[in-house]
Short mmCIF file of all heavy atoms in Angstrom, two decimals:
data_model
loop_
_atom_site.label_atom_id
_atom_site.label_comp_id
_atom_site.label_asym_id
_atom_site.label_seq_id
_atom_site.Cartn_x
_atom_site.Cartn_y
_atom_site.Cartn_z
N GLU A 128 44.72 -68.65 -8.58
CA GLU A 128 43.93 -68.65 -9.80
C GLU A 128 42.70 -67.76 -9.71
O GLU A 128 42.21 -67.28 -10.72
CB GLU A 128 43.52 -70.08 -10.18
CG GLU A 128 44.68 -70.95 -10.60
CD GLU A 128 44.23 -72.22 -11.30
OE1 GLU A 128 43.01 -72.47 -11.33
OE2 GLU A 128 45.10 -72.95 -11.83
N PHE A 129 42.17 -67.53 -8.52
CA PHE A 129 40.97 -66.71 -8.40
C PHE A 129 41.30 -65.22 -8.51
O PHE A 129 40.65 -64.48 -9.25
CB PHE A 129 40.27 -66.98 -7.06
CG PHE A 129 38.97 -66.24 -6.91
CD1 PHE A 129 37.81 -66.74 -7.47
CD2 PHE A 129 38.92 -65.04 -6.21
CE1 PHE A 129 36.61 -66.06 -7.34
CE2 PHE A 129 37.72 -64.36 -6.07
CZ PHE A 129 36.56 -64.87 -6.63
N THR A 130 42.31 -64.76 -7.79
CA THR A 130 42.67 -63.35 -7.80
C THR A 130 43.65 -63.00 -8.92
O THR A 130 43.86 -61.83 -9.20
CB THR A 130 43.31 -62.94 -6.47
OG1 THR A 130 44.53 -63.68 -6.28
CG2 THR A 130 42.37 -63.24 -5.31
N ARG A 131 44.27 -64.01 -9.54
CA ARG A 131 45.29 -63.85 -10.59
C ARG A 131 46.59 -63.25 -10.04
O ARG A 131 47.45 -62.81 -10.80
CB ARG A 131 44.81 -62.97 -11.75
CG ARG A 131 43.47 -63.35 -12.35
CD ARG A 131 43.51 -64.73 -13.01
NE ARG A 131 42.47 -64.85 -14.00
CZ ARG A 131 41.20 -65.19 -13.75
NH1 ARG A 131 40.85 -65.43 -12.50
NH2 ARG A 131 40.32 -65.29 -14.72
N GLU A 132 46.75 -63.21 -8.74
CA GLU A 132 47.93 -62.60 -8.15
C GLU A 132 49.11 -63.55 -8.22
O GLU A 132 48.98 -64.75 -7.96
CB GLU A 132 47.66 -62.22 -6.70
CG GLU A 132 48.83 -61.52 -6.02
CD GLU A 132 48.53 -61.16 -4.58
OE1 GLU A 132 47.41 -61.46 -4.12
OE2 GLU A 132 49.41 -60.58 -3.92
N ALA A 133 50.27 -63.02 -8.58
CA ALA A 133 51.51 -63.79 -8.54
C ALA A 133 52.03 -63.80 -7.11
O ALA A 133 52.56 -62.80 -6.63
CB ALA A 133 52.54 -63.19 -9.49
N LEU A 134 51.86 -64.92 -6.43
CA LEU A 134 52.20 -64.99 -5.01
C LEU A 134 53.70 -64.94 -4.79
O LEU A 134 54.18 -64.31 -3.85
CB LEU A 134 51.61 -66.26 -4.41
CG LEU A 134 50.09 -66.43 -4.57
CD1 LEU A 134 49.64 -67.74 -3.96
CD2 LEU A 134 49.36 -65.25 -3.93
N THR A 135 54.45 -65.60 -5.65
CA THR A 135 55.91 -65.57 -5.55
C THR A 135 56.51 -66.08 -6.84
O THR A 135 55.88 -66.83 -7.59
CB THR A 135 56.41 -66.43 -4.36
OG1 THR A 135 57.83 -66.24 -4.21
CG2 THR A 135 56.13 -67.88 -4.59
N ILE A 136 57.74 -65.64 -7.09
CA ILE A 136 58.56 -66.19 -8.17
C ILE A 136 59.93 -66.47 -7.58
O ILE A 136 60.72 -65.54 -7.37
CB ILE A 136 58.67 -65.23 -9.37
CG1 ILE A 136 57.29 -64.86 -9.92
CG2 ILE A 136 59.51 -65.87 -10.48
CD1 ILE A 136 57.34 -63.88 -11.09
N ARG A 137 60.19 -67.72 -7.27
CA ARG A 137 61.50 -68.11 -6.73
C ARG A 137 62.47 -68.33 -7.89
O ARG A 137 62.13 -69.01 -8.86
CB ARG A 137 61.38 -69.40 -5.91
CG ARG A 137 60.71 -69.22 -4.56
CD ARG A 137 61.60 -68.45 -3.60
NE ARG A 137 61.01 -68.33 -2.28
CZ ARG A 137 61.28 -69.12 -1.26
NH1 ARG A 137 62.14 -70.11 -1.42
NH2 ARG A 137 60.70 -68.92 -0.09
N VAL A 138 63.66 -67.77 -7.79
CA VAL A 138 64.66 -67.86 -8.85
C VAL A 138 65.88 -68.59 -8.31
O VAL A 138 66.41 -68.24 -7.25
CB VAL A 138 65.06 -66.46 -9.36
CG1 VAL A 138 66.05 -66.57 -10.50
CG2 VAL A 138 63.82 -65.68 -9.80
N ALA A 139 66.33 -69.62 -9.04
CA ALA A 139 67.51 -70.39 -8.62
C ALA A 139 68.07 -71.10 -9.85
O ALA A 139 67.46 -71.12 -10.92
CB ALA A 139 67.15 -71.39 -7.53
N ARG A 140 69.26 -71.66 -9.67
CA ARG A 140 69.86 -72.44 -10.75
C ARG A 140 69.15 -73.76 -10.94
O ARG A 140 68.98 -74.26 -12.05
CB ARG A 140 71.34 -72.69 -10.46
CG ARG A 140 72.20 -71.45 -10.43
CD ARG A 140 72.30 -70.79 -11.78
NE ARG A 140 73.24 -69.66 -11.77
CZ ARG A 140 73.45 -68.84 -12.79
NH1 ARG A 140 72.78 -69.03 -13.92
NH2 ARG A 140 74.30 -67.84 -12.69
N ALA A 141 68.71 -74.38 -9.84
CA ALA A 141 68.02 -75.67 -9.89
C ALA A 141 67.09 -75.76 -8.69
O ALA A 141 67.27 -75.07 -7.68
CB ALA A 141 69.01 -76.82 -9.90
N PHE A 142 66.09 -76.63 -8.82
CA PHE A 142 65.11 -76.82 -7.76
C PHE A 142 64.97 -78.30 -7.45
O PHE A 142 65.02 -79.14 -8.35
CB PHE A 142 63.74 -76.26 -8.17
CG PHE A 142 63.60 -74.77 -8.01
CD1 PHE A 142 63.92 -73.93 -9.05
CD2 PHE A 142 63.18 -74.23 -6.82
CE1 PHE A 142 63.81 -72.56 -8.91
CE2 PHE A 142 63.04 -72.85 -6.66
CZ PHE A 142 63.36 -72.02 -7.72
N LYS A 143 64.78 -78.60 -6.16
CA LYS A 143 64.42 -79.93 -5.71
C LYS A 143 63.05 -79.85 -5.02
O LYS A 143 62.52 -78.77 -4.80
CB LYS A 143 65.47 -80.47 -4.75
CG LYS A 143 66.86 -80.63 -5.36
CD LYS A 143 67.84 -81.16 -4.33
CE LYS A 143 69.23 -81.31 -4.92
NZ LYS A 143 70.21 -81.81 -3.91
N ALA A 144 62.52 -80.99 -4.67
CA ALA A 144 61.23 -81.01 -3.98
C ALA A 144 61.30 -80.24 -2.67
O ALA A 144 60.33 -79.57 -2.28
CB ALA A 144 60.80 -82.46 -3.73
N THR A 145 62.43 -80.30 -1.98
CA THR A 145 62.56 -79.57 -0.71
C THR A 145 62.52 -78.06 -0.94
O THR A 145 62.03 -77.31 -0.08
CB THR A 145 63.87 -79.96 -0.02
OG1 THR A 145 64.97 -79.79 -0.93
CG2 THR A 145 63.82 -81.40 0.45
N ASP A 146 63.04 -77.61 -2.08
CA ASP A 146 62.98 -76.17 -2.39
C ASP A 146 61.53 -75.74 -2.64
O ASP A 146 61.14 -74.62 -2.28
CB ASP A 146 63.85 -75.87 -3.61
CG ASP A 146 65.30 -76.21 -3.39
OD1 ASP A 146 65.81 -75.94 -2.28
OD2 ASP A 146 65.93 -76.76 -4.31
N VAL A 147 60.75 -76.60 -3.29
CA VAL A 147 59.34 -76.29 -3.51
C VAL A 147 58.59 -76.23 -2.17
O VAL A 147 57.76 -75.36 -1.93
CB VAL A 147 58.70 -77.32 -4.46
CG1 VAL A 147 57.22 -77.03 -4.65
CG2 VAL A 147 59.42 -77.33 -5.81
#
Side-chain angles (χ1 to χ4, degrees):
E128 292 195 352
F129 184 82
T130 63
R131 309 296 203 276
E132 183 180 0
L134 304 179
T135 186
I136 303 178
R137 286 289 183 97
V138 183
R140 295 294 186 185
F142 279 90
K143 298 179 180 179
T145 53
D146 300 319
V147 178

